[in-house]
Amino acid sequence: MSHLFQRRQLASLLIFSLLMSSIPLPLKAEEPSLVIGEIHWAGSSLSSADEWLEVWNLTHEPIILNGYQLTGASGNRNMIFGISDVIPAWSTFLISNYDAGDTKSILNITPDMVTSSVSLPNDKLKIQLLDPQGSIIDQAGNGLTPFAGSNDENKASMTRMSPLLSGDQPGAWFTATSSQNFDIGIFTYGTPGWCDGCQDKTTQNLVTSTSPTASAATTTQFEPTMTQSSPTSTATSISVIEAQESSTTMPIVIDYGPQHPVASFSVAGEFQ
């Protein structure tokens, strides 16, 4: 009887193991090309509507966003990108409610798109990135309270930690602890205009494109002080957003812990 009981136990464990192994983990089969990278849903000390978000390009080629859409980031309307909307390789596309020159904005960098339709929920956050065929290629949040970010006195962004982990999982996000590209005197955590998830890719790019005699890239340790950067391009109008051509330059690798800069480009978008 004891042997029969042990055999039944082993059989049950084997069946359980097979069932567990068949349950898919919320991981993507391969590293995605485009992801929603950073969401500043809490507003700023200047305005609760001072919100912005980013889409990251994690490939070695520019991506034209024509036909792509964002849902859940502008109320009941979808945010539709046009043919002039391009994300350079290993870079980010910054979408903001206010231009950097607006008195209600804390940004010290020119957004790639400025539109007053940006409206990011403080609860029930669920933003989806759709390809031109309407298929969901990435998602941020699950329709409930944001997984990360802070609405405290020192507001903070919700930043992507792992593009491989599905964005509807809490473990894919963290609350920003570094600050860059904000006006002087602003105590807010986030890195608008910088692709936090591009560090390994930009490093590999520099290694393959640098001559053998070139010196190693300088590494700087980030301190959690309000370091300022100059805007990368001239300001664009909020009412009329015009496409601007920019030449792609190799980003400088600076070690800011999980934060690091990339180039910023000005392009235009459409909405419906």
Side-chain angles (χ1 to χ4, degrees):
M1 290 294 292
S2 61
H3 290 294
L4 180 60
F5 179 74
Q6 290 177 352
R7 288 175 183 175
R8 286 178 177 175
Q9 277 189 321
L10 290 173
S12 298
L13 287 172
L14 178 60
I15 293 172
F16 178 77
S17 298
L18 290 173
L19 288 173
M20 290 300 296
S21 64
S22 66
I23 298 175
L25 295 173
L27 293 174
K28 299 182 180 181
E30 57 185 17
E31 188 170 64
S33 300
L34 291 173
V35 296
I36 302 167
E38 190 166 349
I39 304 171
H40 195 75
W41 52 263
S44 72
S45 57
L46 299 182
S47 172
S48 59
D50 188 14
E51 300 175 331
W52 47 267
L53 71 159
E54 294 176 336
V55 177
W56 295 347
N57 176 1
L58 302 179
T59 75
H60 64 282
E61 298 288 344
I63 295 180
I64 300 174
L65 294 177
N66 187 34
Y68 284 83
Q69 303 182 46
L70 281 173
T71 69
S74 53
N76 295 325
R77 296 187 296 171
N78 288 3
M79 191 179 295
I80 304 177
F81 298 99
I83 188 121
S84 299
D85 299 327
V86 181
I87 313 182
W90 321 127
S91 190
T92 182
F93 191 88
L94 176 62
I95 308 162
S96 176
N97 199 32
Y98 297 128
D99 183 69
D102 195 289
T103 57
K104 296 184 290 294
S105 172
I106 62 173
L107 294 179
N108 191 30
I109 186 172
T110 301
D112 300 289
M113 179 187 294
V114 179
T115 170
S116 59
S117 70
V118 173
S119 179
L120 306 176
N122 290 20
D123 56 5
K124 300 181 180 179
L125 180 70
K126 182 179 179 181
I127 301 173
Q128 294 179 329
L129 178 62
L130 311 181
D131 67 15
Q133 289 71 45
S135 300
I136 300 172
I137 61 174
D138 194 36
Q139 178 171 316
N142 60 358
L144 301 175
T145 303
F147 295 137
S150 173
N151 197 20
D152 294 338
E153 182 179 357
N154 293 336
K155 301 179 186 298
S157 295
M158 170 174 157
T159 306
R160 197 67 171 261
M161 177 180 292
S162 173
L164 275 176
L165 189 61
S166 179
D168 61 0
Q169 301 296 312
W173 302 90
F174 69 96
T175 298
T177 57
S178 297
S179 180
Q180 196 72 23
N181 286 336
F182 295 124
D183 289 334
I184 296 175
I186 296 297
F187 295 92
T188 295
Y189 296 108
T191 57
W194 291 10
C195 180
D196 305 79
C198 296
Q199 180 175 7
D200 293 339
K201 311 302 182 304
T202 52
T203 301
Q204 292 169 10
N205 247 11
L206 284 174
V207 169
T208 56
S209 62
T210 303
S211 63
T213 58
S215 58
T218 302
T219 299
T220 304
Q221 181 64 39
F222 176 79
E223 298 294 336
T225 56
M226 301 305 125
T227 306
Q228 302 302 322
S229 296
S230 300
T232 58
S233 60
T234 58
T236 55
S237 169
I238 295 178
S239 57
V240 180
I241 306 174
E242 299 178 345
Q244 300 178 356
E245 294 184 357
S246 300
S247 59
T248 304
T249 57
M250 186 64 63
I252 300 173
V253 177
I254 304 178
D255 183 7
Y256 288 100
Q259 326 289 342
H260 44 85
V262 295
S264 176
F265 295 77
S266 295
V267 290
E270 302 174 359
F271 301 87
Q272 74 174 10

